[in-house]
Amino acid sequence: MRYIHKHDLLIIARNSGFLMIGIGVMCLVPIIVDLMYVEYTPIGFFIPALISICTGFILTEALKKYDTSKIRPKHGMIISALSWLWACIICGLVLYIVTDINIIDAVFESMSALTGSGITIYGDVESLPHSILFFRALQQWIGGLGIIVMIISFLIKPGTASYTLYQSEAREDQLKPSTNSTIKESFKIYSIYTCFGIIAYTLAGMPLFDSVCNTFCIISTGGMSVKNANIGFYNNELIYFITIILMILGATSFLVHYNIIKTRGKSLIRDLQFKVMISLIAVSSLLIYYTSTIIPMEMFFTVVSAITTTGASIPNSVTMGGWPSFTILIIMTLMLIGGSTGSTVGAIKLLRIITFAKGIYKNLREILSPEGRVVKMKISGRILPEKVATASGNYITLYFICILITWSLLCLYGHDPFNSLFFTMSMQGNVGLEIGQISQTMELPLKAIGIFNMWTGRLEIYPVLITFRAFFEIFKK
């Protein structure tokens, strides 16, 4: 039985056109910075932008009859997967033209920025043009909220289609009854925190350009800084503290942020995911503090960076590589878990971990209980169906399979097994922390695999698998 037909492909193509237009417009924004700093590189942004906008316009106009009202969940997921891939190719083309790196490196860098992974292949980011530094930060900022979420708020009319596309980026929390209202509220919250970060950084003594770029990187939990030494470059305790606040804000659900004023802060205190995240930060920090001699601020900053999947750092990767193995294992565990669902983080996410643990506990209680008794699974007072725990278990299994495959390939190419596992978790979880220098020495085939890891990590695997399944149907007899 075929699940994808020509009609489905035309619906996907037509509605991907809107997103291509939006991606093209995004590539034009850094030209403003280029003109401000007189860097003479606007053509490098204009050509990819023109390709994306023209392609999108042709698809939307030529396939008008396949409108957004015909989108189904399978279309939404394929559109989402292809749009993220298209975005990283177009943005990678910008880097290829302007910074003269090979196309695989360029696409890797763009995928890393858009997905908030924060891993860079540039050995010296401070030598890059201001327009490129801003472009990398902008990609992280847009990718943090979601490329599709950003674009559909401006280009796609309210209705079933916008909800389907919203869900396709692994988002389910509804702040308002309508999807477009939810997106606008999320954008408003995101913008307020962005403004707060820029002002706070500037008042703390950071240059304005750095304040804008670093805020974009941190609130999106991307972590790809404009300095080689990342946030550690500034050697400023106040800047470290502001960064920690922004990382935690970025890793907290937008639904919780939305309800903070309405509930006078109680929504934050009551949120199970937030409480677990803060508890994990506290416990992990204490464990590392009492089992190592790491500078407390560096240790605490790295713990927050790991669980929020930001990847910002004070110590460099070589210094972190010299930390005790027990400390590195704690950091790796936090990188696996991640922050709240409905936020900008990557990794498995707290709600899935909590749900999976609750499901195991439920099964244990049912075995110990009298025959015939049904034990209900509750989270924050809500009864959850058993299939939710099963779905969480399935996703966690797929997540570990992706890590295992990439880790095996890194080892096959001769990279240190422990460093390779850390780096693989960092890519799959869209984290960006690293021990050693794998990102600077990685072979091109491994970079292609890394692109896949970051892509699946951001979209939570299923949209990518569905897209592959659809293409398999197209080419099979």
Side-chain angles (χ1 to χ4, degrees):
M1 180 179 177
R2 297 185 69 89
Y3 298 100
I4 297 292
H5 303 277
K6 180 182 176 182
H7 179 77
D8 297 311
L9 295 177
L10 294 174
I11 291 173
I12 291 165
R14 199 264 173 171
N15 292 289
S16 294
F18 289 111
L19 302 170
M20 290 176 176
I21 293 170
I23 291 162
V25 172
M26 178 183 73
C27 292
L28 294 173
V29 175
I31 292 177
I32 299 170
V33 177
D34 179 88
L35 295 174
M36 286 173 59
Y37 287 92
V38 197
E39 292 174 336
Y40 305 107
T41 59
I43 196 71
F45 296 95
F46 184 75
I47 291 174
L50 188 64
I51 292 171
S52 193
I53 291 170
C54 289
T55 305
F57 183 77
I58 290 168
L59 289 175
T60 52
E61 290 300 308
L63 304 171
K64 270 186 177 179
K65 65 178 180 178
Y66 301 96
D67 59 30
T68 55
S69 64
K70 297 177 181 178
I71 291 183
R72 292 173 56 195
K74 65 178 179 181
H75 301 138
M77 289 199 172
I78 297 171
I79 290 168
S80 178
L82 293 178
S83 295
W84 278 83
L85 193 58
W86 177 265
C88 89
I89 291 170
I90 291 296
C91 295
L93 192 57
V94 171
L95 301 179
Y96 172 75
I97 296 170
V98 177
T99 65
D100 195 29
I101 57 175
N102 70 68
I103 191 65
I104 297 294
D105 281 353
V107 173
F108 183 96
E109 185 81 9
S110 278
M111 183 64 84
S112 179
L114 286 164
T115 59
S117 300
I119 300 168
T120 182
I121 50 84
Y122 290 110
D124 180 15
V125 298
E126 292 174 35
S127 66
L128 296 173
H130 287 82
S131 56
I132 290 296
L133 292 174
F134 176 78
F135 184 52
R136 290 159 81 241
L138 180 66
Q139 287 179 78
Q140 290 171 85
W141 190 73
I142 290 176
L145 190 59
I147 295 171
I148 290 176
V149 168
M150 286 281 197
I151 293 172
I152 63 177
S153 62
F154 297 104
L155 295 181
I156 295 181
K157 296 177 182 178
T160 306
S162 59
Y163 178 67
T164 303
L165 290 172
Y166 179 74
Q167 282 189 313
S168 72
E169 275 196 329
R171 297 185 180 276
E172 293 182 2
D173 288 341
Q174 289 285 96
L175 278 58
K176 292 272 191 175
S178 76
T179 301
N180 276 58
S181 297
T182 293
I183 292 169
K184 286 173 183 176
E185 285 298 328
S186 298
F187 184 75
K188 188 189 297 182
I189 292 166
Y190 199 50
S191 300
I192 289 170
Y193 287 142
T194 300
C195 292
F196 162 75
I198 294 169
I199 294 168
Y201 274 144
T202 304
L203 293 176
M206 189 182 286
L208 181 60
F209 179 79
D210 291 16
S211 297
V212 173
C213 291
N214 282 325
T215 299
F216 281 10
C217 298
I218 301 301
I219 196 64
S220 63
T221 62
M224 192 182 277
S225 180
V226 294
K227 300 296 182 184
N228 294 329
N230 209 276
I231 300 299
F233 169 87
Y234 302 99
N235 194 27
N236 184 316
E237 296 276 336
L238 181 56
I239 287 176
Y240 298 161
F241 182 68
I242 291 167
T243 305
I244 288 168
I245 292 173
L246 289 174
M247 288 192 289
I248 292 173
L249 288 173
T252 304
S253 169
F254 281 103
L255 183 60
V256 173
H257 290 309
Y258 177 69
N259 288 324
I260 282 177
I261 296 176
K262 291 168 64 176
T263 62
R264 298 181 182 178
K266 292 179 181 177
S267 66
L268 193 64
I269 299 169
R270 292 172 182 168
D271 183 60
L272 179 60
Q273 293 187 91
F274 182 79
K275 288 189 287 188
V276 172
M277 179 169 64
I278 296 301
S279 299
L280 286 171
I281 290 171
V283 172
S284 300
S285 298
L286 288 172
L287 282 172
I288 295 173
Y289 179 77
Y290 285 111
T291 58
S292 71
T293 56
I294 301 169
I295 298 169
M297 175 54 83
E298 291 188 4
M299 172 269 299
F300 183 65
F301 188 98
T302 306
V303 164
V304 175
S305 182
I307 196 167
T308 61
T309 70
T310 305
S313 62
I314 297 174
N316 61 41
S317 58
V318 176
T319 301
M320 283 183 61
W323 285 359
S325 298
F326 180 69
T327 298
I328 299 297
L329 284 172
I330 292 174
I331 299 298
M332 289 167 72
T333 302
L334 296 175
M335 286 164 52
L336 277 174
I337 295 170
S340 303
T341 55
S343 67
T344 64
V345 301
I348 294 171
K349 296 187 176 67
L350 283 164
L351 189 59
R352 280 200 186 93
I353 300 292
I354 294 167
T355 304
F356 185 60
K358 288 268 189 181
I360 293 172
Y361 182 61
K362 173 184 179 296
N363 290 339
L364 291 175
R365 287 184 62 192
E366 284 182 342
I367 292 168
L368 294 169
S369 298
E371 190 175 348
R373 184 187 174 191
V374 177
V375 179
K376 294 179 180 178
M377 185 171 62
K378 293 183 179 180
I379 294 182
S380 299
R382 289 189 302 136
I383 298 175
L384 296 179
E386 193 168 333
K387 66 179 181 180
V388 176
T390 304
S392 296
N394 291 342
Y395 179 79
I396 292 169
T397 302
L398 280 172
Y399 193 89
F400 277 104
I401 288 172
C402 290
I403 288 174
L404 180 61
I405 292 170
T406 304
W407 180 34
S408 301
L409 290 171
L410 280 164
C411 292
L412 181 64
Y413 272 82
H415 294 282
D416 177 77
F418 193 66
N419 290 0
S420 297
L421 180 58
F422 190 99
F423 187 67
T424 302
M425 288 181 175
S426 189
M427 289 193 296
Q428 187 65 43
N430 306 134
V431 182
L433 291 174
E434 187 178 353
I435 53 175
Q437 293 290 329
I438 293 180
S439 63
Q440 306 297 321
T441 60
M442 195 164 45
E443 295 79 2
L444 286 180
L446 292 179
K447 287 177 182 174
I449 297 296
I451 290 168
F452 176 81
N453 283 116
M454 293 185 286
W455 184 33
T456 55
R458 180 59 181 83
L459 290 176
E460 301 193 344
I461 302 174
Y462 283 105
V464 177
L465 294 182
I466 288 168
T467 302
F468 283 157
R469 181 67 178 82
F471 273 90
F472 173 75
E473 280 207 4
I474 294 168
F475 292 109
K476 77 177 182 181
K477 293 183 179 179

